[in-house]
Amino acid sequence: MNIEFEASSDIFILRVSGDMRIWGRRDAEQLRLVQLLRAQENLPKRMILNLAEVKQVDSLGVGALARVVVECGKQEINLNVVLPLGIPGKVLKMVHIFDAWPSFPDEAAAVHGA
């Protein structure tokens, strides 16, 4: 799993890509995304979670994303999501963790829709 982020005064963009199958990896891998959010000072109240380049996801990967949703709720952050295509996107739609948040076809649309 690769993680990149970009922060400005009004929006935080979190890009997750690659393989989100974290079953059997170090326990810290499950908390990596939420720890990144918690480490930010003065986190903007708008966030784009771009998952477009996620190629695979397992149940612990879904759990890591659910932790991000919970953290956004705790910090009162408005979340816009870019879901991946294919199987990972279908899995994330089936578990409904992003149903309460608007989803967009790409990052540019998510930024303008934020």
Side-chain angles (χ1 to χ4, degrees), residues 4-7 11-15 47-48 50 107 111:
E4 296 177 11
F5 67 92
E6 182 179 327
I11 196 163
F12 184 81
I13 301 173
L14 181 60
R15 297 179 189 101
M47 180 173 136
I48 307 297
N50 186 343
E107 188 174 299
V111 169

Side-chain angles (χ1 to χ4, degrees), residues 34-41:
V34 77
Q35 287 172 340
L36 175 76
L37 289 178
R38 290 177 181 164
Q40 303 304 308
E41 292 183 22

Side-chain angles (χ1 to χ4, degrees), residues 1-5 14-20 25 29 32-33 50-51 53-54:
M1 173 172 52
N2 302 312
I3 300 170
E4 296 177 11
F5 67 92
L14 181 60
R15 297 179 189 101
V16 182
S17 61
D19 189 346
M20 285 196 69
R25 295 188 191 174
E29 193 75 12
R32 195 166 145 204
L33 290 172
N50 186 343
L51 304 172
E53 297 299 320
V54 169

